[in-house]
Amino acid sequence: MTKGKVLVIGSNATRIEVQGGWGDTGQYLNETVVPAMALIDAGYDIVLATPDGTQPHIDAASDSAAHFEGDQAAYERARNFFDTDPSMTNVRTLRQVINEGLDQFAGVFVPGGQAPVVDLMQSAEVGEILRHFHEKAKPTALLCHGPIAVVAAMEQAPAFRAALIAGDLKKAEELAKGWPYAGYRMTIFSITEEKVVEDQILHAKMFFDMPEALHAAGGDVITTPIDFDPHVIIDRELITGQNPRSDHPIAKALIDALDARAV
């Protein structure tokens, strides 16, 4: 018998604004499937939902054994899981899961890759979902760039994002007033980690840094000084992981929080 359902919120973005144009983006494979597979192994059901109800695009930069500690067999299992498992292929729209009732879910998880910076952080549906989990104090886990999605819980998320792109931090701070996660301790992909992606993958600079964005929103942002070191922060119901190598630790933290709440 299942312990309960966990909602996984995916992105549909395939392109991201960068200074001077656009770059390819998507969700990271390991960040999506490692926690999902761990949740299933722990006895939870997974429901994947995205803005348009189609499966997320996997960022090519993550589609290799390198993100599974060089373990080719682990990579192949993960890729097969994403491509064929019903929990990954039977995708709902965010509006459908809202209309069907969010009380059915024990927790929520948002994986990273840069894609959430494009659509999830300014999605009204994501905002509605996160406010529900915040108000009910249900485990809310977000990984790598995924924590930027908590911006969606503010009333004027699209305007906040636009202010960040314009470099107007003062305006962004004004727009963030009343944000439900103000004062929460949290982590996200660091400035120095982002520079690696900018230099080696995007070959362009992002319009804003992730820690800067969450700080402007009112978050107490803490990143590890060692790039790509696993790092997870838990504050009340919020569980955030800093980078791709935090995939296993955040899965454990989320499962622990779900199990504790179920007792």
Side-chain angles (χ1 to χ4, degrees), residues 53-119:
T54 62
Q55 197 178 35
H57 169 72
I58 294 299
D59 192 320
S62 74
D63 198 6
S64 75
H67 287 280
F68 296 84
E69 305 295 334
D71 186 335
Q72 183 67 24
Y75 160 68
E76 291 175 3
R77 283 195 301 271
R79 185 74 235 196
N80 182 65
F81 174 81
F82 182 79
D83 290 339
T84 66
D85 194 275
S87 67
M88 294 285 102
T89 59
N90 295 339
V91 188
R92 315 285 289 166
T93 67
L94 297 177
R95 181 47 55 189
Q96 282 175 321
V97 296
I98 291 169
N99 290 345
E100 290 164 5
L102 296 174
D103 284 332
Q104 67 180 303
F105 297 106
V108 62
F109 171 63
V110 183
Q114 291 175 313
V117 182
V118 180
D119 55 0

Side-chain angles (χ1 to χ4, degrees), residues 47 156 180 256:
V47 176
Q156 300 186 69
D256 287 348

